[in-house]
Amino acid sequence: MTPVPISASSPDNENSSQSRREEGALTGENHHLAIRGDWTLADYQTLKQKVLEYSGQQWNTEDINLKELGRVDTAGASLLVALLGPKTLSALTKQGGTLPQEQSALLQAVADALHDKPPPEPEGLAPISQFLTETGKTVEAIWHLIYLLSGFVGQILATLFAVLPRPKRWRVTAFVAAIQDTGLNALPIVALLTFLVGAVVAFLGATVLKDFGATIYTVNLVAFSFLREFGVLLAAILLAGRTASAFTAQIGAMKVNEELDAIRTLGLDPVELLVIPRVLAMMISLPILTFVGMLAGLVGGGMVCAIALDISPTQFMAIMERDIALKHFLVGMSKAPIFAFLIAAIGCLEGFKVGGSAQSVGVHTTSSVVQSIFAVILLDAGAALFFMQMGW
């Protein structure tokens, strides 16, 4: 009777294969590192603990022994990269005769894939390392944002100076439409908000100054605050939330729909076509809204003074004429064009940064509002310190 040969998948062969399996091991003595056994996913947690014990040391290729290394999969290869580093492991795989060709190819591929990733940090330093890493990323992101904004502002100014001497290239229709959108449509909300804030400031001032018998100076408080700060600041913050987001959404939607690519294909400049009219419209609208905000705030404060303090509108105006100099009005108005230019630039820049999805439009729209408000408040604080030092 002819004997039947045993197949490769017979139980005897499977048992012998399991008996030949050697769990991965790692030993380091006298600056020599021996790596042996199977480095596979089955022993990942055990091998990871051993790798962490030697993670802070540096090894030379001549001090590493891989001759007893068994089977290796991608999980084990990633641990070897974390232990030795991508460069050292890559150098070991290139040494002829050390490893089989299949293992060398796998280790080389994993080392190349993880080349830019840092080795794992010891667990004891993980919170500190993570905090420093996040702080560094935040600082780098802010610096990159400032760099992009500076370059975009320069591009706007260069295009503006190139277009202004050529009236044929002026986009009058887009400019007028932007003024209506940014100025006229925003007029009611700016007037209402500044009127209410003026009334609140006058009420609080009267409440505090009443204890000192100086309620008459509520007029000075309202006039100073709205002519120098609140009028321009409230109008700028409203436009930052209302108009900067609109600019980002409009330009971002055009980029998602590939309309910007079509504009460039026609030989037109998107900055000249889309940005310049919006920037100029904002620089005209915000001073007008600032003036309206100042008047509305003074009216709100005057109303509270007339109702709660028995200061008539005629007396209110007489005190303003006597105690409030024209320079306070000029200080407030001088900040409006600068805020307008900055808000429009940030809104348009975030629109150009939109990716190819609707989610990206929402992310950059939110980012433009936050950046615009932060930039306005920061610039206003710097301007206040400057004017104070100058005595204006």
Side-chain angles (χ1 to χ4, degrees):
M1 183 176 179
T2 305
V4 179
I6 300 176
S7 63
S9 60
S10 64
D12 293 340
N13 279 358
E14 290 181 358
N15 294 334
S16 61
S17 174
Q18 293 292 335
S19 63
R20 289 195 300 270
R21 182 183 180 278
E22 180 182 357
E23 183 178 349
L26 179 64
T27 56
E29 298 178 355
N30 299 326
H31 301 287
H32 285 76
L33 186 67
I35 301 174
R36 61 180 182 273
D38 297 337
W39 286 62
T40 59
L41 183 61
D43 304 319
Y44 183 83
Q45 293 298 332
T46 303
L47 294 173
K48 182 179 179 181
Q49 295 297 327
K50 296 179 181 179
V51 167
L52 290 176
E53 296 177 3
Y54 297 92
S55 60
Q57 304 182 27
Q58 299 291 332
W59 304 98
N60 298 322
T61 54
E62 59 270 12
D63 299 331
I64 301 172
N65 183 9
L66 294 178
K67 294 182 180 179
E68 300 182 17
L69 181 64
R71 293 181 299 170
V72 181
D73 59 9
T74 53
S78 65
L79 291 175
L80 291 176
V81 172
L83 173 65
L84 305 177
K87 294 182 180 179
T88 303
L89 185 60
S90 179
L92 288 171
T93 57
K94 294 179 181 178
Q95 295 178 359
T98 304
L99 295 172
Q101 183 178 0
E102 295 81 2
Q103 288 185 353
S104 298
L106 175 62
L107 294 176
Q108 183 66 46
V110 175
D112 293 339
L114 301 178
H115 181 70
D116 295 329
K117 296 184 178 181
E121 297 289 341
E123 293 184 357
L125 298 179
I128 299 176
S129 176
Q130 184 177 4
F131 172 75
L132 294 177
T133 301
E134 294 299 326
T135 302
K137 289 180 179 178
T138 303
V139 173
E140 184 181 6
I142 293 174
W143 168 251
H144 183 65
L145 181 64
I146 295 174
Y147 176 79
L148 288 179
L149 182 59
S150 301
F152 189 66
V153 168
Q155 188 176 5
I156 291 175
L157 293 176
T159 306
L160 185 61
F161 289 129
V163 170
L164 285 180
R166 300 174 174 85
K168 291 183 179 180
R169 295 174 61 178
W170 294 357
R171 308 285 175 176
V172 179
T173 304
F175 172 69
V176 174
I179 287 181
Q180 180 181 2
D181 183 43
T182 61
L184 295 178
N185 294 343
L187 196 60
I189 185 64
V190 171
L192 177 61
L193 180 65
T194 51
F195 174 82
L196 295 176
V197 173
V200 171
V201 170
F203 178 76
L204 293 177
T207 303
V208 174
L209 295 174
K210 184 178 181 180
D211 297 335
F212 302 94
T215 53
I216 193 68
Y217 289 104
T218 304
V219 178
N220 301 67
L221 174 63
V222 173
F224 270 109
S225 59
F226 271 88
L227 291 180
R228 293 185 67 96
E229 298 295 337
F230 284 168
V232 62
L233 191 60
L234 291 174
I237 290 176
L238 280 174
L239 282 190
R242 180 184 181 278
T243 307
S245 59
F247 288 173
T248 304
Q250 291 166 3
I251 297 177
M254 294 180 68
K255 187 172 183 181
V256 171
N257 295 330
E258 300 182 354
E259 295 179 39
L260 295 182
D261 296 334
I263 291 174
R264 294 188 180 96
T265 303
L266 294 173
L268 301 174
D269 184 7
V271 175
E272 177 184 343
L273 189 66
L274 303 175
V275 178
I276 297 300
R278 288 174 166 83
V279 170
L280 294 178
M282 281 284 289
M283 294 181 70
I284 292 177
S285 298
L286 187 55
I288 297 175
L289 293 176
T290 299
F291 181 74
V292 172
M294 290 176 180
L295 293 180
L298 293 176
V299 170
M303 184 188 70
V304 172
C305 289
I307 295 175
L309 304 178
D310 293 330
I311 300 176
S312 65
T314 303
Q315 188 179 2
F316 188 93
M317 295 300 298
I319 295 173
M320 279 190 57
E321 183 180 0
R322 183 191 64 192
D323 296 339
I324 309 301
L326 180 62
K327 65 179 182 180
H328 303 300
F329 170 77
L330 297 178
V331 165
M333 293 298 296
S334 65
K335 293 184 285 187
I338 301 174
F339 290 170
F341 182 89
L342 191 61
I343 293 170
I346 292 175
C348 294
L349 175 60
E350 290 299 314
F352 284 112
K353 289 165 61 177
V354 168
S357 64
Q359 181 182 5
S360 180
V361 176
V363 169
H364 286 284
T365 299
T366 305
S367 177
S368 69
V369 174
V370 174
Q371 292 178 36
S372 300
I373 295 176
F374 179 79
V376 165
I377 295 177
L378 182 64
L379 194 60
D380 184 71
L385 293 175
F386 172 76
F387 290 134
M388 181 181 66
Q389 293 296 326
M390 296 298 294
W392 294 348

